[in-house]
Amino acid sequence: MVNGVVTRKTPRLPPTREESEAAAADRAAHYAARERKDAQVRGVASIAGMREAIKAAARTLPAIAGVPRVKALDKAAFRARAAQGLPFVMTGIVDRWPLAALTVQSLREHYSHLPVRARVGDYVNTAFAPDRAMRDMGMLEYLDLVAAGTEGLPPMHLPPYLGNLELRELNRLCHWPSYFDKIGPPRFWLGPAGTVTPLHCDYDDNLFAQVWGSKRIMLAPPHHDEFLYPNEANAILFGSPFDPEAPDFDRFPLARQAATIECLVGPGDMLYVPAGWFHQVRALTFSLSSNRWARGVPLVLGDRAADRRSIASAP
């Protein structure tokens, strides 16, 4: 409506073949440029080669029935253990952080002004789609929304979730160990019981700190991607439609062959997730977590000459 007059938009014609081909070429060029940048940041010649090297290394790993727990490690001990390519939990690190002493009330009193972006609606089935539903708000509004509970939410809608956010004012309250030569910024994950990040894998080493509450993390090794129906979100992130907590083997029959293990993390735990390991994360209580992804050659490839040659020679 303009000056009280209703106007109608001219119908948009479908793109011509030339426009469609040009758009596809633009997407391909953008993808290639991003992959070159990702490879440069990680010091490898090819992200595709790095992915294949990780899966090749995983095929030599022993099968594990659970995730071991160890006390805090120094840098040398951590890197030696991580080079084995298996996940493990460390204790005695996160519980010393000032962030661990905060409460929900502390967030209300001191950080209510923080702008946040919440995942809303059915954010599991759209987890790796570009049009996932998000809602911008302040921290106080989010905490009030959570406090109101989930009654009245439409079917398939989960509790709203603050996932994968940079909340820089909280960074000074976290004392991350210097295990990696290059690492990305801390990301924060805050939400009530029932919030979930569906099964996926990142091709970067990952340190995951459980600050408050508890979570269930389902894990599967990198080379079992052939059983998990992965979909590429980008060159270093692949999602899976399979739910290891409620397996549908009629829909995903190959998933019967995937080896999944359960890991429970509680306050003060720090989980190392090696690059390429699939993981699904579900909050069992109101939880605050933080994680950081390394930005280098995954440690499992550190001393494997054959795998390094594979990375260097990949197209």
Side-chain angles (χ1 to χ4, degrees):
M1 179 177 292
V2 179
N3 295 328
V5 178
V6 176
T7 61
R8 290 183 174 84
K9 294 182 179 179
T10 302
R12 185 175 181 180
L13 297 175
T16 65
R17 178 178 177 181
E18 290 77 11
E19 289 174 334
S20 298
E21 290 176 348
D26 286 344
R27 286 194 299 270
H30 177 77
Y31 180 93
R34 176 169 178 171
E35 187 166 1
R36 284 194 299 271
K37 181 178 179 181
D38 286 339
Q40 183 180 26
V41 167
R42 289 157 182 80
V44 299
S46 162
I47 294 296
M50 185 181 78
R51 292 198 308 261
E52 292 307 310
I54 288 169
K55 288 186 278 189
R59 292 187 182 96
T60 69
L61 296 175
I64 57 174
V67 177
R69 299 174 64 87
V70 299
K71 293 182 179 180
L73 302 172
D74 62 24
K75 182 175 181 177
F78 171 85
R79 291 176 71 91
R81 182 157 194 141
Q84 298 173 17
L86 296 170
F88 56 91
V89 171
M90 291 177 289
T91 61
I93 298 176
V94 180
D95 50 3
R96 298 179 181 178
W97 291 359
L99 185 61
L102 259 61
T103 63
V104 175
Q105 187 60 31
S106 301
L107 286 182
R108 286 181 172 275
E109 292 175 358
H110 303 293
Y111 299 97
S112 61
H113 62 284
L114 290 182
V116 297
R117 175 165 290 181
R119 301 178 179 186
V120 295
D122 179 14
Y123 51 79
V124 168
N125 289 319
T126 60
F128 308 106
D131 57 349
R132 176 172 56 192
M134 310 289 279
R135 180 175 160 187
D136 292 323
M137 61 185 74
M139 177 66 78
L140 182 59
E141 182 182 354
Y142 174 74
L143 294 175
D144 287 343
L145 189 63
V146 169
T150 58
E151 288 189 19
L153 285 181
M156 301 299 295
H157 283 215
L158 298 165
Y161 191 21
L162 302 187
N164 200 13
L165 298 185
E166 285 193 57
L167 301 175
R168 296 180 181 177
E169 291 190 38
L170 301 185
N171 289 354
R172 61 185 178 82
L173 304 178
C174 306
H175 300 157
W176 292 90
S178 56
Y179 291 147
F180 298 101
D181 297 329
K182 187 187 296 186
I183 195 167
R187 315 293 292 196
F188 293 90
W189 310 75
L190 177 70
T195 51
V196 62
T197 301
L199 193 64
H200 68 286
C201 73
D202 313 283
Y203 282 95
D204 285 314
D205 287 328
N206 182 5
L207 283 179
F208 179 90
Q210 185 64 16
V211 184
W212 310 335
S214 60
K215 288 184 172 179
R216 177 192 298 120
I217 302 178
M218 305 298 296
L219 295 152
H223 61 301
H224 284 197
D225 65 330
E226 59 188 311
F227 309 133
L228 295 173
Y229 305 83
N231 298 306
E232 181 175 358
N234 58 58
I236 56 173
L237 172 62
F238 286 71
S240 168
F242 177 68
D243 182 354
E245 294 179 291
D248 184 347
F249 295 124
D250 291 332
R251 185 180 175 195
F252 305 109
L254 294 179
R256 293 182 184 276
Q257 302 175 65
T260 59
I261 56 175
E262 179 184 287
C263 176
L264 298 178
V265 292
D269 288 342
M270 178 175 281
L271 171 66
Y272 169 63
V273 182
W277 275 73
F278 284 84
H279 48 292
Q280 177 164 298
V281 184
R282 180 181 298 276
L284 303 178
T285 66
F286 192 94
S287 294
L288 173 63
S289 313
S290 184
N291 84 296
R292 299 183 76 175
W293 287 286
R295 294 292 184 261
V297 177
L299 294 179
V300 71
L301 303 181
D303 297 319
R304 296 171 182 257
D307 288 332
R308 280 190 172 273
R309 285 197 298 271
S310 173
I311 293 174
S313 62

